[in-house]
Amino acid sequence: MQSGFISVHPLLSFCYFMIILILSMSIKSPLYLLGLLCMTLGLLYFLDRLASLRKQLKFYLLMATVILILNPLFSTEGATVLFYLKNRSITLEGVLSGVTFALSLLNILFMFLAYNLIITPQKFLYLFGNLIPKMSFILTIIMGFIPLFTRRMQEIIEVRRTLMQANASSQKPSLKERIIESMTTLNTLVSWTLEESLENAVSMRARGYGTSSRTSATFYTFDTRDFWLIGISILLMIFILVGTFMGLNQPTSTHCFVAFYWGCILLFASLPLWIEGREALRWHFMKSTT
């Protein structure tokens, strides 16, 4: 039996991720973007002990580093000049803009990792299967093919590497041979995937998919915890929307309610951590009493 934030009603968890996505793109303060990033890291730790993040972390950090380096080079507007690089001014505002952009990107990437762990294809079809049946099915298939492509690519590479080691020669393969090997691997991957796609299509047609309205095999109901979560989220979102309308989201704002505004954002982002922490404490006390 699943517990924690993953057991929350799919509609609530989907809305949470959409709101966090909007906040990650709209917040311009590096400090609070870092706070959102910590919340997402905490959620990933509760979900799979950061196992999914470790696989992609190097690539994500590389993307963030490239943004940190390139943004000050191309965004030279600003009043505070730090130094000059070949007659190009590097400003403090450009550096801060790069930090903000990099943190925003990391927030979005980390958030999608948590999204994929919580919003399964089954939940996605449950939410949108009746509203947009064809589009939701296509999106579900696409989302399923991405990890499938990755696994199969790794399998093919390992098999090809084993064959090459068995027939290895003392000479290092040339660039042309490496390109041919890469194209062979890609061709094998595409052929394998297309073949299985045709088999799935034939199987779905034989079972009458699309001949009538779709029903879901899984039913999700709202419980007391979900209603409490809805109430707290609505209250926090009212404060956030009012604060945004008042301009409290600007980094230069000095309004007396600025701290309360950012506190509401961080509290909303930390709701899954409160749920996960509550479940962890309950499990701890249950084990201690047995």
Side-chain angles (χ1 to χ4, degrees):
M1 181 178 179
Q2 294 178 338
S3 61
F5 191 67
I6 199 172
S7 63
V8 169
H9 194 279
L11 181 60
L12 299 183
S13 54
F14 181 82
C15 292
Y16 169 81
F17 284 116
M18 293 302 102
I19 294 173
I20 291 297
L21 176 64
I22 295 173
L23 290 175
S24 299
M25 293 187 295
S26 59
I27 292 177
K28 303 302 180 183
S29 173
L31 179 61
Y32 293 102
L33 282 173
L34 184 60
L36 285 181
L37 189 64
C38 293
M39 303 299 175
T40 310
L41 282 173
L43 179 58
L44 286 172
Y45 177 79
F46 278 113
L47 291 175
D48 65 349
R49 296 298 186 268
L50 303 179
S52 59
L53 179 60
R54 294 191 190 98
K55 299 178 182 178
Q56 308 290 341
L57 184 59
K58 292 182 179 179
F59 177 66
Y60 290 169
L61 292 179
L62 177 62
M63 294 177 62
T65 304
V66 171
I67 292 174
L68 285 174
I69 295 174
L70 293 182
N71 193 82
L73 295 177
F74 290 97
S75 178
T76 58
E77 296 182 358
T80 308
V81 179
L82 299 177
F83 58 91
Y84 290 91
L85 184 64
K86 292 185 177 180
N87 297 326
R88 182 178 291 272
S89 60
I90 305 299
T91 63
L92 177 62
E93 289 78 4
V95 173
L96 292 178
S97 176
V99 172
T100 302
F101 190 12
L103 288 175
S104 179
L105 177 64
L106 289 177
N107 268 298
I108 294 172
L109 294 174
F110 287 10
M111 184 271 295
F112 272 109
L113 286 178
Y115 173 90
N116 289 329
L117 292 173
I118 293 177
I119 306 296
T120 61
Q122 185 180 17
K123 291 182 178 180
F124 188 84
L125 281 176
Y126 171 80
L127 291 174
F128 301 102
N130 293 325
L131 296 176
I132 44 173
K134 294 183 179 180
M135 182 62 67
S136 61
F137 180 74
I138 291 173
L139 291 176
T140 303
I141 293 296
I142 293 174
M143 292 169 62
F145 265 112
I146 294 175
L148 180 64
F149 260 55
T150 305
R151 291 195 302 269
R152 287 183 173 175
M153 175 66 80
Q154 189 62 35
E155 293 177 9
I156 295 171
I157 290 175
E158 291 177 357
V159 172
R160 299 288 301 180
R161 185 180 298 149
T162 303
L163 293 176
M164 292 179 63
Q165 290 176 353
N167 302 322
S169 60
S170 57
Q171 297 181 352
K172 185 178 180 180
S174 61
L175 177 60
K176 180 180 179 181
E177 292 174 343
R178 292 198 298 270
I179 294 176
I180 293 175
E181 177 63 25
S182 300
M183 295 303 296
T184 303
T185 301
L186 181 61
N187 180 54
T188 305
L189 175 64
V190 173
S191 300
W192 186 5
T193 305
L194 288 177
E195 181 181 357
E196 183 171 334
S197 300
L198 290 174
E199 293 177 356
N200 290 337
V202 172
S203 176
M204 291 172 60
R205 185 174 183 180
R207 298 183 184 190
Y209 184 86
T211 56
S212 60
S213 60
R214 183 185 181 278
T215 58
S216 178
T218 305
F219 295 94
Y220 299 92
T221 58
F222 289 93
D223 55 17
T224 305
R225 180 193 55 182
D226 293 330
F227 286 114
W228 273 103
L229 186 60
I230 291 173
I232 295 173
S233 300
I234 291 176
L235 184 63
L236 291 175
M237 288 308 303
I238 291 175
F239 291 146
I240 293 172
L241 290 175
V242 171
T244 303
F245 179 77
M246 294 172 59
L248 302 182
N249 59 333
Q250 299 299 324
T252 57
S253 178
T254 58
H255 198 279
C256 58
F257 288 108
V258 168
F260 178 76
Y261 170 78
W262 291 111
C264 290
I265 291 179
L266 295 180
L267 182 58
F268 176 82
S270 66
L271 288 178
L273 299 184
W274 289 101
I275 297 174
E276 293 288 347
R278 174 176 173 269
E279 295 293 334
L281 287 175
R282 288 181 60 188
W283 177 246
H284 173 75
F285 287 118
M286 287 175 63
K287 290 194 299 182
S288 62
T289 55
T290 56

